[in-house]
Amino acid sequence: MSSETELTPPELSPDDFVRIPDDRFTADTVAIVTGGGSGIGQATSIALASNGLTVAAVDIDEQGLAETADMAASFDADGRIVPVEEDLTDDDAVAAAVDEAADLGTVRYAANIAGMQHIASFSEFPMEKYDFMHDLMLRSPFLLSKRVMPHIEATDDGVGAIGNMSSVHGHYATQNKPAYITLKHGLAGLTRAIAAEGGGTLRGFSVSVGYVLTPLMVDQIEDTADERGISEREVIEDVMLGQARTKEMMTPAEVANLFVFGFSSHAKHLNGADLLWDGGYTTTYE
């Protein structure tokens, strides 16, 4: 593939998404998805709406949320997406987002997906950037989970799940991503803590994938090229795909389908654990 093709996030289509019959995947059931305005969060919002759920898509990006809702409607999704414009780094806004979602129906699911990346060495990493990433990628998922769990526990059967977007960087470390790596490892602890207190029916799980072709990834490729003094093609072929056995990046829809499965009744034994879908990054080496 050309470098231009590599750097273009794929367009979503209705055929990208898995459909899983599930008695709880109805319009009366609400799934909260953070980062719903773009990338994996957008794809996951549409995937869940395509499975009949009402989705409260949370993001600070009003235009991105409108695009997500419009796309689901254009795909004739059985469910719907309701944009919830809130700043996930603000505690009151997180609480408000959960309250808005609860007004839409019965909250059973939440996907903590919102995130960002900053490429810099440990010695050069700006602490103000770390603080922002921490608030968005670990404190916000913790607080949102804390707010969502009582809603799941209050349902007639206590069944629901909270899924956290982790990464291969939640399993191992590479250079120039110290904050991202630290926070993704933290999400593993959050996932297990949810499982420990969920009583078996309220589950916690995480999703770890390799490199996904999103707008965030396009920026990361450019930043990594600058940081390492190499070309963008070298970043893709040598840094990102060099260790993988599957020699292509994942798509946002492929990641979204893992959340659909994780929330379904087919995943009732997935609790406190990680769906590692990494093309061999963390299990093989040369």
Side-chain angles (χ1 to χ4, degrees):
M1 287 185 286
S2 69
S3 59
E4 182 178 350
T5 301
E6 290 276 15
L7 291 174
T8 303
E11 292 186 7
L12 297 172
S13 75
D15 293 336
D16 290 334
F17 303 111
V18 66
R19 270 74 171 181
I20 299 179
D22 193 294
D23 289 343
R24 297 183 185 85
F25 285 4
T26 68
D28 294 331
T29 302
V30 178
I32 301 172
V33 179
T34 70
S38 66
I40 295 171
Q42 181 177 78
T44 301
S45 297
I46 296 171
L48 293 170
S50 297
N51 277 270
L53 290 156
T54 293
V55 179
V58 187
D59 206 303
I60 200 170
D61 181 2
E62 180 181 9
Q63 183 176 346
L65 287 174
E67 179 185 88
T68 302
D70 290 345
M71 199 178 304
S74 72
F75 292 171
D76 293 324
D78 291 335
R80 63 179 176 133
I81 293 175
V82 179
V84 178
E85 186 184 352
E86 297 286 359
D87 179 359
L88 289 163
T89 65
D90 180 275
D91 286 1
D92 291 338
V94 172
V98 176
D99 289 344
E100 289 181 59
D103 288 339
L104 302 174
T106 301
V107 176
R108 287 189 184 271
Y109 310 111
N112 288 306
I113 295 175
M116 63 167 292
Q117 181 62 275
H118 184 79
I119 305 296
S121 65
F122 232 125
S123 60
E124 299 296 328
F125 206 94
M127 288 309 298
E128 65 273 14
K129 185 67 70 173
Y130 172 87
D131 289 340
F132 180 81
M133 292 176 69
H134 177 273
D135 287 348
L136 177 65
M137 296 170 61
L138 193 54
R139 181 184 176 86
S140 170
F142 184 100
L143 179 57
L144 189 136
S145 300
K146 175 183 176 180
R147 293 280 185 173
V148 164
M149 289 175 75
H151 288 280
I152 299 174
E153 291 166 346
T155 62
D156 56 351
D157 54 13
V159 172
I162 298 171
N164 297 312
M165 187 72 244
S166 189
S167 166
V168 293
H169 290 97
H171 292 260
Y172 71 175
T174 57
Q175 296 178 357
N176 302 318
K177 300 177 184 177
Y180 190 87
I181 290 161
T182 299
L183 299 172
K184 291 302 185 183
H185 276 74
L187 283 177
L190 173 61
T191 298
R192 293 164 187 166
I194 293 167
E197 297 194 21
T201 56
L202 193 172
R203 298 180 292 109
F205 68 93
S206 58
V207 172
S208 291
V209 298
Y211 293 94
V212 183
L213 195 52
T214 64
L216 175 68
M217 183 54 59
V218 172
D219 293 339
Q220 183 179 334
I221 291 168
E222 295 170 352
D223 291 346
T224 301
D226 290 341
E227 183 73 21
R228 300 196 181 196
I230 58 179
S231 70
E232 292 177 2
R233 172 171 284 279
E234 288 174 312
V235 171
I236 296 167
E237 294 182 353
D238 299 334
V239 178
M240 293 183 171
L241 297 180
Q243 185 172 316
R245 293 300 178 265
T246 304
K247 295 298 184 181
E248 60 182 304
M249 292 187 185
M250 287 186 73
T251 67
E254 289 174 324
V255 184
N257 288 334
L258 298 178
F259 280 96
V260 175
F261 173 77
F263 288 146
S264 77
S265 58
H266 296 286
K268 64 183 178 181
H269 294 288
L270 176 65
N271 200 9
D274 182 62
L275 282 173
L276 179 60
W277 224 259
D278 69 347
Y281 274 103
T282 59
T283 54
T284 61
Y285 67 94
E286 293 180 339

